[in-house]
Amino acid sequence: TAVEAFRLVGKDPMVKAWLKIVDDVKAVIELYGNEKEKQKGLSAEEWMKRNGSMVLATVNPDDCRAAMIGFYAGVTAILACLRNHFAQVVALGASVGEVIE
């Protein structure tokens, strides 16, 4: 059904891209984790600007684009399934075919 349509269309590209983004964020945290003492006097807004800019500088824009494309494709597949019975049947048949394969 709708979940199967999302899984078939958008899940894999989105998950692969998000895992790369998570790795980039973890690298930033490891690299700048020692600076917690330096950042104690910062307000929440200043802290977010500083750390957010570090993360945005290290994350690959192509990975962000791939994650958003996968998400958008999955949401479009969900909407198609919810609006069209034929799309539901196709998604269910494709998932059954993958299980049998």
Side-chain angles (χ1 to χ4, degrees):
T1 59
V3 175
E4 291 298 322
F6 181 82
R7 188 181 63 77
L8 289 171
V9 174
K11 178 187 167 239
D12 290 336
M14 186 182 77
V15 168
K16 288 177 187 175
W18 276 109
L19 290 176
K20 289 180 185 177
I21 292 170
V22 168
D23 290 340
D24 291 344
V25 171
K26 285 181 181 178
V28 169
I29 290 171
E30 288 177 14
L31 185 62
Y32 295 105
N34 308 357
E35 296 191 7
K36 285 184 182 176
E37 287 95 31
K38 296 178 190 175
Q39 297 178 9
K40 283 186 181 177
L42 297 177
S43 69
E45 184 178 339
E46 292 170 342
W47 183 88
M48 191 61 177
K49 284 181 183 177
R50 180 179 175 156
N51 292 316
S53 64
M54 285 189 285
V55 168
L56 290 174
T58 58
V59 172
N60 186 355
D62 291 333
D63 293 336
C64 292
R65 183 183 53 81
M68 292 307 297
I69 288 172
F71 177 75
Y72 182 71
V75 169
T76 303
I78 288 172
L79 293 174
C81 277
L82 293 176
R83 295 195 42 96
N84 191 347
H85 182 70
F86 179 71
Q88 288 178 346
V89 172
V90 170
L92 183 61
S95 67
V96 169
E98 282 185 1
V99 170
I100 292 173
E101 193 178 70

